Amino acid sequence: MRGLAVDATSGTVLLADADGTPLTAGLMYDDGRAAAYAERVNEAGGPVWEKLGYRTMQPSWALPKLLWLLDRTRLPAGARLLHQADLVTWRLTGRQAASDTGHSLKTGYDLVAERWPYEELAALGVPAEILPDVVRPGTVIGTVCASAAAATGIPAGTPVVAGMTDGAAAQIGAGALSPGAWNSVLGTTLVLKGPATGWSATPAGWSTATAGRAAPGCPAGRPAAARA
C-alpha cells in the first residue's frame, strides 16, 4: 500500500475537543436544521460566495450548521471544527491533520485566495482558532500511527493523503479526467462534474477551475468543473 486518502460527504461537520473527542454529534450533509442561520451567512459572506460561483449557501451547508453548533455548545480550550473526513484522518494519524479544500468549501473556505475568509467568519462569531489548516487534495498530511495500524491492519507509517468529497472521488473513479468527459452521481443529491480548461463563474452558479486550483468540491491539480 503506497498511501491512503479519505473521502466523505460534503458538508458533514462536528465540534471536537483538543484531543479529537467529539463534543457534538456530526450534522450530516443533508441536515437542514440550520435554516435560520443561512440568511446571516449569506449577508456576511455574500461577496465571497459570489466570487466562488455558488452565490449563496444553502441551510444544509457546513457553515450555517457550524453556527447552529456554536450557539449550543460550550467550547473548551482547544476546541476544533472537524469535517467528517478530518475526524477519520485524526484517528489514522494520531493527531489533527490538515483538512482539504473540497471538504472545507461549504464551511466558507475561499478556493480562489486559498485561505479562510477570517473577516466574514469573525462577523458571524466563528472563532478563528477552531478552524483547521487546509491543503489541496493529494498533499501528504501524515502517516498511519501505531494504534491505527493495530486497529485497522494498515501498516504503520503508510502515508495519509488529503482526500476530497465523495462526488469528486466518484468523478476520478469514473475516469472523467479530460475536457469533454462528465460524471453524474444521482442519489440523495445530484452531482454533475467534468473537467474544464479555465476558471469562470456563471449567474447559474456553475464554476470551473484551471489546473492547480480546485472548483467547489473538486480535487486540485486537475482542471475541473462543478455544479455547486
Side-chain angles (χ1 to χ4, degrees):
M1 180 181 292
R2 295 176 57 188
L4 64 94
V6 178
D7 79 82
T9 51
S10 175
T12 300
V13 291
L14 68 149
L15 294 170
D17 67 16
D19 296 319
T21 301
L23 296 167
T24 70
L27 302 188
M28 289 294 290
Y29 71 99
D30 57 350
D31 191 314
R33 73 181 69 191
Y37 294 85
E39 184 175 354
R40 282 178 54 202
V41 164
N42 290 321
E43 287 178 357
V48 178
W49 321 150
E50 185 75 27
K51 177 182 69 175
L52 294 175
Y54 53 78
R55 298 184 301 168
T56 61
M57 285 199 178
Q58 302 169 23
S60 62
W61 283 29
L63 184 52
K65 289 185 295 192
L66 173 59
L67 299 188
W68 189 95
L69 289 171
L70 289 173
D71 271 355
R72 291 160 177 81
T73 308
R74 187 171 183 175
L75 297 182
R80 308 296 292 175
L81 159 71
L82 297 180
H83 305 98
Q84 183 180 11
D86 302 338
L87 180 62
V88 178
T89 57
W90 194 322
R91 296 292 186 270
L92 286 170
T93 62
R95 60 174 178 80
Q96 184 177 16
S99 190
D100 66 87
T101 54
H103 283 102
S104 300
L105 166 76
K106 291 183 179 179
T107 318
Y109 188 76
D110 187 333
L111 299 180
V112 177
E114 296 192 273
R115 62 182 292 271
W116 288 106
Y118 291 107
E119 297 81 2
E120 289 79 4
L121 294 177
L124 290 167
V126 177
E129 59 269 20
I130 73 170
L131 300 172
D133 293 335
V134 180
V135 297
R136 298 181 184 186
T139 303
V140 175
I141 56 176
T143 58
V144 174
C145 66
S147 61
T152 64
I154 301 170
T158 300
V160 178
V161 179
M164 60 194 69
T165 58
D166 52 354
Q171 176 192 339
I172 292 176
L177 302 175
S178 58
W182 291 87
N183 177 64
S184 178
V185 177
L186 178 59
T188 49
T189 58
L190 172 64
V191 180
L192 179 63
K193 297 180 185 290
T197 57
W199 174 278
S200 66
T202 74
W206 289 80
S207 296
T208 66
T210 56
R213 297 274 187 184
C218 291
R222 288 190 178 275
R227 179 68 166 95

